[in-house]
Every structure is written in structure tokens, then in C-alpha cells.
Amino acid sequence: MWIPKLLNICSVLLKYVERKPKKMKRTDGTTLRLHPSDNVVIALRDILHGEPISSHGTTFRALSAVAKGHKVASVSIPNGQDILRYGQVIGQASSVILPGEHVHTHNLGMGHKEKKYLFATSNAPLSKIEHDRTFSGYVRSDGRVGTRNYIGLLTSVNCSGSVVRFIADAAEKSGLLEDFQNIDGIVPLVHGTGCGMSRSDEGYSNLFRTLSGYARHPNFGGILVVGLGCEVMQVSDLFGDRATDLDGELRCMTIQGSGGTRKTVEQGLKELRGIAHAANDARREPVSISKLTIGMQCGGSDGFSGITANPALGYSSDLLVRHGGTTILSETTEIYGAEHLLTRRAETVEVGEKLIERIRWWEDYAARNGGEINNNPSRGNIRGGLTNILEKSLGAVAKSGTAPLRDVYKFGEIVIKNGFVFMDSPGFDPCSVTGQVASGANLIIFTTGRGSVSGYKPTPCIKLATNSEMYERMSDDMDLNCGDIVSEGKNIQEKGEEIFELMIKIASGKRSKSEELGFGEVEFVPWQIGAVM
């Protein structure tokens, strides 16, 4: 029987919420209790109305049908009382809830409790792994290492977007890369901003960091930047003296300066050929996995995300950190309500305060735009069993493992510290990953329960399924099934090691499912903030 192995899930999960494992009660295979103090259990399969459920040493009947991944009350919960999952508060009962009752949006409210941040009180460093592992990567002149060798076509403004696509189409039709077998392809990256904006606000700074980060990304063997010429985001401001350097791997031009569309396309092809000659000289070589920087994401989450794929990825994150590598957690709106678990792991009080400053910024940002952070979860998240942002965030934070939080970065800011770090971003996945790539992530690992499909050139993306049913239905898009942690009782540590080994293979050149499908261009989404003027 695999049911007893589910106890392993609980003991590992406890490390991510308390770091003090306790003995767990046995499940009957219908539900899973994640923490001894929880007053709800998680349905491991669809439960019928009237079906008996055993938990907390008692048996009760389901008072309604409950879908897989959703919550069921295991004891009587008075109106206004805290509801606990993972041993953490996920809100308060908005009415009296009876044992066997479905707990969801109709009877679970957010409530409000002051968080005890306890800065830097649980930040013991992880033990180092001395036996170094390697992957096969591209060592760049600045010492950073690429996992791919693309040529980039980057726009400074939306006004040059069509011309960049014309250049990419012309390069494909001409067979420009046929003679350059060591180049993975040409990646046109087009966005919707760059002008009609202030030069001194947060939106400009975000875009500046994003474009300059992509232009210097180690997964590009060379890059051509194309502007219109009169935009706010000037190419010369982005790259200074290098904007006119046509002998290096970064080359820049404007449509107005080149004499219009046709001449820009013709010149662009010449520049690409010159870049290709240089980029084609790159060769993979063994490199320490300490040179890997992983952007960790979850999207289309469900009630199993925080039970299967996220803690397994957290285990992998800790493994990479122990080898000297770097992992980036993001999506500030999806740690909201669980930020206290990260501030306790902050390396210093100052690092913890930087995270809370970002939380406060988001509270103000949402309020002044007529929104609220609890607009998240999405409809799909709710259908998958997640009721509010508190519950979703607790599961999302499990991706970070247990390593100390070394620093907090702004969107697209270059990560300079190794270990586990946080980068501020929205919860909108393409935008958040765009910031992580700009910050230097050379690999993305993305967990999903509903079935998100996407890719993020120039950085390969590994997709982890949180439940076996979705994996079987969408196996062409998913790289690894983590749902077998529940469906077959697989071990979280073993699954984490499996993710770790897959990470090394993909970094070394094995193509991920999203790469095979051709994803990765339209997902370039810089974070737009501020007035459009």
C-alpha cells in the first residue's frame, strides 16, 4: 500500500512552514491532513455526498460532494474562528462550519491578523555539498554561463516591433543560420511600451532594467537592438558607447537612422550575419552547477500545488543552493499572507525589511488602482481548490525550500548574490518570468496544476505537473509529473532529486517540452507601471 507514504508528504511539508516536524496522523486514503493542528483536510479524490471520511480519530460523512484538491472541515468550526492549513491561518470561518462540510469561498473569509515577522530568527545556513556537480554550458567573457546559445533581436520600443519581426522573417527565409550549427536560433523579442512614458518613474526604470538585462543575458551569444529613433527609451541611453560598437556581440541601430524599413531590414541581416560568426564560435564545456540561476514559478495552481510539485521544487532549490547555485522566488502578490515565513529566514534584519517594504508598496499600488491583492487567486485556482491568497501563498512559498533568504531585488535587477533570493514582480506569470530572466535566470522551473502552457526564450523552461490527471491529459506540455507524490505515494525528497537531475540535463542542452513546441517569444512581457502619455 502507498497510503502510509503520504505521511512523508506531511513531514516534509512541515519543514517549509515550521521547520519542526511532528508525528502525523494516518490518512484513510480519501483525505490528507497536512499538520496536526489543521481543522481541514484535503480531498485526495472526488468525494461523494454522504461518503464517510475518517480524520482526527473520528469518522463523519461528507455533507456535500467535494472535488479533489478541495478542503473539508474535520471538526466543528465556529463562526469567526481561524481555519488552519499547513498549521497556518488561511482565514476565518464566515459562518458555522460542521464536520464534513466543504470549506471554500462560501464560508471562508480572509479576516485580518497582524503578522509576526520575527526577522532573521530562522536563517541557519544549509550544509554545503563539497562534491561538485557540473553541467555543459557556454562560458561568456564576463564569467556568466549560458544554458543556450541564441541570437537575440530586441526592440527598445513597440514602434520598432514590426521591423524586428521583418528582420527575423527575412533571416529565416534566407537560411541565414544554415551555416552556423552552434546557434540555437534567432529570438525576436517585441513589447508594447518604450514611449509615451515618463523618463523618471518606476515604469521607465523597470523597462530599462529589463531591456539591459536581456541584452546582456548569458543565453545570448549575440544580440541586435533595434529602435525607431525618437522614442523615450533611447538605445544610446540603454547601452551608452556600446550603442555604436559594431565589432562586438551587441549591435544597435535605429529605423530612422538607417533610412526606413527596407534599409533597416537589409542592414539588420548584415548585422545578424556578423553576430552569427562570433556566436557560432561558442562551445559547451563542463561548468560547475554553481553557475546555474533558477527562476522558480507557479501558475495555474491547484489544491495540490503546495503538497506535491512546490515542496519537491523546494527540495531541489535547497540542493542547488547547497552546491553554490542561485534560486529566485518571485510573484510578490503570491507570497502575500506567507511573507512572515520568508522574513524569519532572512539572512539579516535589513533583508527582511526590504521584503516587507515591497509588500507595503504592493498594498498601496493595489489600493490606488482600485484593486485588492486578494483578487488573486484566479478563477482556475479557485476551481482547483484554492480559496484565497493566504492559502495560495502558503503553498507557493514551499517552492523556496528552507535556505536563508540572502537578498531582495527589484524587478529585473541583476542578481549578484548566490543562494536563495527574492525578486519583486506581479503574479502574472509571463511578466514575472520576464523579470527573472532579466535578472539573470538561465533556467526556469514552472509548477502548474491547471495546465499552464508557455516558454521563455532565451531561457529554457521545465514544467512540473502537480497532479497526475492533468499530467496524463497534457503530457505533451509537461516535463515531469509530481502528482505521483499523491497518486502513487512517491517520496518528496526523491522527486526533488529527480527534478534536480532533470535541471542539469536541460541546462546541458536537452530540450524541454516548451522548447520542442516552439514557445518563448510572445511571453516576453516587461512590467508596465505608470501613466501612458
Side-chain angles (χ1 to χ4, degrees):
M1 287 288 290
W2 58 263
I3 295 300
K5 294 184 180 179
L6 285 174
L7 301 182
N8 166 262
I9 299 173
C10 303
S11 62
V12 173
L13 283 169
L14 285 169
K15 295 180 182 179
Y16 302 106
V17 295
E18 280 194 339
R19 304 182 72 151
K20 291 182 180 179
K22 299 176 181 178
K23 186 176 180 180
M24 303 306 302
K25 288 183 181 284
R26 199 174 275 271
T27 175
D28 66 354
T30 300
T31 62
L32 178 64
R33 185 183 178 195
L34 299 174
H35 189 278
S37 65
D38 287 356
N39 48 16
V40 295
V41 292
I42 311 303
L44 297 177
R45 57 173 175 78
D46 291 343
I47 298 175
L48 300 176
H49 180 207
E51 186 174 344
I53 300 171
S54 295
S55 181
H56 289 63
T58 62
T59 298
F60 48 90
R61 293 188 178 276
L63 300 183
S64 66
V66 180
K68 179 179 179 179
H70 285 241
K71 298 175 291 297
V72 183
S74 55
V75 296
S76 294
I77 306 174
N79 183 21
Q81 183 170 310
D82 290 343
I83 294 180
L84 303 177
R85 173 177 174 158
Y86 307 109
Q88 300 286 322
V89 176
I90 61 170
Q92 282 77 46
S94 57
S95 62
V96 175
I97 303 175
L98 300 176
E101 190 171 344
H102 182 205
V103 177
H104 205 29
T105 53
H106 60 288
N107 56 10
L108 170 57
M110 278 278 286
H112 179 73
K113 280 188 174 290
E114 287 295 326
K115 296 289 190 307
K116 294 182 179 180
Y117 291 128
L118 303 176
F119 296 111
T121 57
S122 183
N123 59 2
L126 302 180
S127 61
K128 295 293 183 183
I129 296 177
E130 299 299 333
H131 177 63
D132 196 20
R133 296 287 303 276
T134 63
F135 74 101
S136 183
Y138 297 97
V139 180
R140 305 302 184 187
S141 59
D142 63 359
R144 293 193 295 169
V145 178
T147 59
R148 295 294 183 268
N149 190 38
Y150 283 108
I151 293 175
L153 266 169
L154 185 63
T155 55
S156 62
V157 65
N158 177 259
C159 306
S160 57
S162 291
V163 172
V164 156
R165 293 200 182 279
F166 296 159
I167 295 171
D169 290 343
E172 182 177 0
K173 290 176 182 176
S174 68
L176 186 146
L177 292 185
E178 290 178 359
D179 297 329
F180 303 102
Q181 299 303 309
N182 294 320
I183 298 174
D184 291 313
I186 295 172
V187 181
L189 296 170
V190 176
H191 58 92
T193 185
C195 204
M197 63 194 308
S198 169
R199 293 188 70 249
S200 58
D201 67 2
E202 294 168 305
Y204 183 90
S205 297
N206 275 351
L207 183 60
F208 188 96
R209 290 194 298 268
T210 300
L211 296 180
S212 57
Y214 267 74
R216 296 177 172 88
H217 197 278
N219 285 5
F220 283 128
I223 198 158
L224 173 63
V225 183
V226 181
L228 177 60
C230 58
E231 61 269 20
V232 171
M233 183 63 67
Q234 289 282 298
V235 172
S236 57
D237 291 340
L238 277 166
F239 305 110
D241 294 338
R242 292 194 69 187
T244 56
D245 177 12
L246 300 184
D247 295 321
E249 297 172 352
L250 172 66
R251 305 192 182 195
C252 306
M253 57 192 294
T254 67
I255 298 167
Q256 293 167 353
S258 300
T261 298
R262 293 188 186 279
K263 291 179 181 178
T264 302
V265 173
E266 291 172 1
Q267 182 181 342
L269 286 173
K270 292 178 182 178
E271 301 298 348
L272 285 181
R273 183 164 289 277
I275 292 170
H277 276 286
N280 196 57
D281 289 336
R283 296 290 188 278
R284 289 189 181 272
E285 58 184 277
V287 190
S288 167
I289 60 172
S290 64
K291 294 295 186 178
L292 284 179
T293 299
I294 308 298
M296 301 184 295
Q297 287 285 320
C298 56
S301 301
D302 68 355
F304 289 104
S305 295
I307 300 173
T308 61
N310 287 357
L313 177 53
Y315 189 88
S316 295
S317 174
D318 283 349
L319 274 179
L320 184 62
V321 168
R322 293 175 64 197
H323 278 91
T326 303
T327 59
I328 309 172
L329 183 69
S330 297
E331 301 180 291
T332 314
T333 55
E334 296 188 10
I335 66 159
Y336 189 75
E339 70 273 12
H340 61 291
L341 301 178
L342 295 175
T343 57
R344 297 172 188 185
R345 290 163 51 192
E347 194 169 65
T348 65
V349 172
E350 291 74 21
V351 169
E353 289 175 339
K354 284 173 72 173
L355 181 63
I356 298 308
E357 184 276 326
R358 288 289 85 197
I359 292 288
R360 300 292 174 252
W361 183 93
W362 271 98
E363 289 175 332
D364 174 70
Y365 179 61
R368 71 178 186 253
N369 285 284
E372 56 175 322
I373 297 181
N374 197 41
N375 286 345
N376 191 339
S378 69
R379 292 182 180 182
N381 297 152
I382 292 171
R383 286 194 296 271
L386 297 174
T387 303
N388 60 30
I389 191 57
L390 303 181
E391 181 181 16
K392 185 176 182 181
S393 293
L394 287 166
V397 165
K399 299 194 301 292
S400 68
T402 61
L405 175 63
R406 297 214 60 209
D407 211 344
V408 175
Y409 294 88
K410 290 186 177 180
F411 185 88
E413 187 178 2
I414 298 296
V415 171
I416 58 175
K417 290 185 179 179
N418 63 347
F420 165 58
V421 301
F422 186 85
M423 186 207 75
D424 180 37
S425 80
F428 180 42
D429 302 321
C431 180
S432 182
V433 176
T434 295
Q436 290 180 324
V437 174
S439 290
N442 51 13
L443 190 63
I444 299 295
I445 304 184
F446 191 120
T447 71
T448 180
R450 306 297 291 175
S452 294
V453 295
S454 53
Y456 303 96
K457 290 179 181 176
T459 299
C461 175
I462 298 172
K463 288 286 176 58
L464 306 180
T466 72
N467 64 84
S468 297
E469 290 77 9
M470 186 275 289
Y471 176 79
E472 292 170 3
R473 188 172 67 251
M474 300 183 65
S475 58
D476 288 342
D477 292 273
M478 300 295 122
D479 293 283
L480 187 66
N481 180 29
C482 295
D484 53 7
I485 292 172
V486 165
S487 63
E488 300 177 25
K490 291 294 180 67
N491 183 287
I492 283 182
Q493 291 96 324
E494 291 174 351
K495 184 60 65 172
E497 290 167 357
E498 191 176 351
I499 295 169
F500 184 73
E501 296 301 327
L502 179 60
M503 177 195 311
I504 293 173
K505 290 178 182 177
I506 298 292
S508 299
K510 176 181 170 63
R511 285 161 61 88
S512 69
K513 293 289 184 70
S514 64
E515 288 182 294
E516 290 176 350
L517 289 166
F519 282 102
E521 294 174 11
V522 301
E523 292 89 349
F524 177 65
V525 183
W527 182 12
Q528 292 184 246
I529 303 176
V532 178
M533 296 175 288

